[in-house]
Amino acid sequence: MGSLESKVAVVTGAGQGVGQGIALALATEGASIAVLGRTPQKLEATCELLRARGLRAEPFVCDVSDTDRVPGVVDAVADRFGGIDILVNNAYTGAYGPLLSMSDAQFRKGFHSGPFATFAFMKAAHPHLKRRGGGVVVNLVTSAMVRWDLRNYGAYAAAKVAVRSLTRSAACEWGPDNIRVNAVAPHAVSPAYEKWQTANPEEAAAFCESIPLGYVGDCEQDIGRAVVMLCGPDARYFTGATVPLDGGQANFD
């Protein structure tokens, strides 16, 4: 029996990359997965991978930036699965580049899919988590928040800092409801990373060399397994933290 047997997890942006890796890791421990994202074909592909492991998985098409629809999607998941125990806010679509070259709309985009969406999902999931006697929220942030050189990452880091603050606030406010809330800041070989690596091979090589463990994490085995730990019983006293999953590169002190 896995550590998450009979649990129901909602994972946003689970059609590929880190979200898919987290969904696979949670399912391996027995959780049923609500696979959320914008592209039906990608969602179904993830569901097929999960079902191949003998677990229940259902796709839910959802653009997290459309926060007015979030409560309805969360309620639909709870109705389909009979409740919600775990929420993973992974989906993010934002802009990168120098601040002076960025439009207001581009800057706002990261906030709509980042802290605004995270807030909407957490608020909508809260009554379902509480009804189950408690639960776990894991929010995805970034080590770019603590980079000394933030050139081209300003908008991204700003949105993720807001998510980190929401994480700590919810952990403090929802502790009495037995709801734990943490954040993780991963480096992972996602489609976005692979695209950047191909376009910037020298920069990517230097980036890898700066990681003490010497490699960029695997979406399932490195990032997903850490999320499993945070969602499981061994982390029952762990809340309000930001966990760097970056091979030791960032300094969160």
Side-chain angles (χ1 to χ4, degrees):
M1 180 180 293
S3 63
L4 301 176
E5 197 77 26
S6 79
K7 302 296 185 182
V8 175
V10 177
V11 184
T12 70
Q16 64 181 8
V18 173
Q20 184 183 79
I22 291 172
L24 289 167
L26 293 172
T28 298
E29 290 298 321
S32 298
I33 311 294
V35 180
L36 273 62
R38 295 180 298 177
T39 308
Q41 296 88 341
K42 291 182 179 180
L43 301 184
E44 193 54 46
T46 296
C47 286
E48 288 303 315
L49 291 173
L50 294 167
R51 292 166 186 154
R53 300 189 184 190
L55 277 303
R56 183 181 177 188
E58 300 289 344
F60 293 83
V61 177
C62 175
D63 181 346
V64 301
S65 297
D66 186 358
T67 54
D68 288 341
R69 290 193 60 238
V70 167
V73 172
V74 171
D75 287 345
V77 171
D79 288 343
R80 184 86 59 89
F81 287 90
I84 296 171
D85 303 281
I86 297 165
L87 169 65
V88 179
N89 284 303
N90 164 72
Y92 174 82
T93 304
Y96 304 87
L99 296 177
L100 290 179
S101 69
M102 192 172 297
S103 68
D104 289 352
Q106 288 174 319
F107 187 80
R108 286 193 295 267
K109 185 178 182 180
F111 278 80
H112 286 303
S113 67
F116 291 168
T118 297
F119 173 72
F121 271 96
M122 289 198 304
K123 189 174 181 181
H126 177 273
H128 299 290
L129 297 171
K130 185 176 180 180
R131 194 172 296 123
R132 302 275 273 201
V136 183
V137 178
V138 178
N139 296 324
L140 276 286
V141 291
T142 176
S143 60
M145 298 182 303
V146 295
R147 285 174 65 109
W148 286 109
D149 183 355
L150 265 174
R151 284 175 290 187
N152 298 321
Y153 292 96
Y156 177 49
K160 292 297 188 175
V161 166
V163 172
R164 188 184 188 190
S165 297
L166 283 173
T167 299
R168 181 64 184 170
S169 297
C172 294
E173 294 178 12
W174 298 355
D177 298 324
N178 196 32
I179 297 171
R180 298 186 295 105
V181 189
N182 291 294
V184 297
H187 286 337
V189 184
S190 64
Y193 174 81
E194 290 177 327
K195 182 178 179 181
W196 172 75
Q197 183 183 42
T198 300
N200 306 276
E202 293 183 2
E203 186 179 352
F207 176 78
C208 286
E209 289 176 2
S210 72
I211 299 173
L213 288 183
Y215 70 98
V216 178
D218 178 80
C219 290
E220 179 180 358
Q221 296 304 319
D222 295 311
I223 311 308
R225 292 304 306 174
V227 172
V228 165
M229 182 275 292
L230 290 174
C231 294
D234 289 343
R236 68 178 214 164
Y237 200 55
F238 194 77
T239 193
T242 296
V243 181
L245 301 178
D246 58 6
Q249 184 191 57
N251 178 10
F252 276 85
D253 294 338

